[in-house]
Amino acid sequence: MNYKFDNQDDVVVIDFEGDLIGEEKGPAIIESVNNTLNNNIIKCAVDISNVRYINSSGIGVLITLLTKFRNKGGEVVIVNPSEHVKKLLVITKLNAIFTIVDTIAQAKEELNKN
């Protein structure tokens, strides 16, 4: 799995690519999130359009992201999950917890409502 953080205005866009299985890169991702929050950026768009597979550890990473941002008064929006990942979000009922949109532009719009 590869990922990158990109600060766009007052929103951090986290772009995941490959298999979101969390185990080896999870701690580095969380450290980057902590640095982002320490810079007072509390809005996050998680682009998972290039994620092929996600397991329970990957779901744990998404939940940790959401928890960390919400604890600082922020929010996380998931962008463009594949059909496979969408089904998993429905099965785990995470679609009721996360806002899911199709584009980064929609994510920014959603995040700037608050």
Side-chain angles (χ1 to χ4, degrees):
M1 170 188 67
N2 295 313
Y3 67 94
K4 66 181 180 194
F5 280 66
D6 182 21
N7 291 333
Q8 299 180 11
D9 303 316
D10 62 343
V11 175
V12 63
V13 176
I14 307 173
D15 187 9
F16 288 110
E17 187 176 326
D19 296 335
L20 182 52
I21 53 178
E23 283 141 10
E24 62 190 54
K25 295 191 178 175
I29 293 167
I30 300 309
E31 185 178 332
S32 295
V33 166
N34 288 334
N35 292 337
T36 298
L37 291 168
N38 289 338
N39 289 325
N40 295 319
I41 298 172
I42 60 169
K43 298 173 185 174
C44 178
V46 180
D47 186 348
I48 58 174
S49 57
N50 294 312
V51 170
R52 297 177 304 225
Y53 173 78
I54 187 169
N55 69 2
S56 59
S57 293
I59 288 172
V61 168
L62 293 177
I63 292 171
T64 301
L65 290 175
L66 182 67
T67 302
K68 286 193 165 290
F69 278 92
R70 283 191 177 168
N71 283 345
K72 293 285 187 173
E75 190 56 72
V76 174
V77 173
I78 293 181
V79 180
N80 198 18
S82 68
E83 284 304 312
H84 172 75
V85 174
K86 268 186 195 170
K87 287 178 188 172
L88 186 63
L89 293 171
V90 169
I91 290 168
T92 57
K93 302 209 184 312
L94 291 176
N95 63 322
I97 296 170
F98 284 98
T99 301
I100 302 170
V101 297
D102 292 328
T103 66
I104 297 293
Q106 287 175 328
K108 288 180 180 178
E109 217 175 272
E110 192 66 36
L111 289 164
N112 287 320
K113 284 181 183 176
N114 300 335

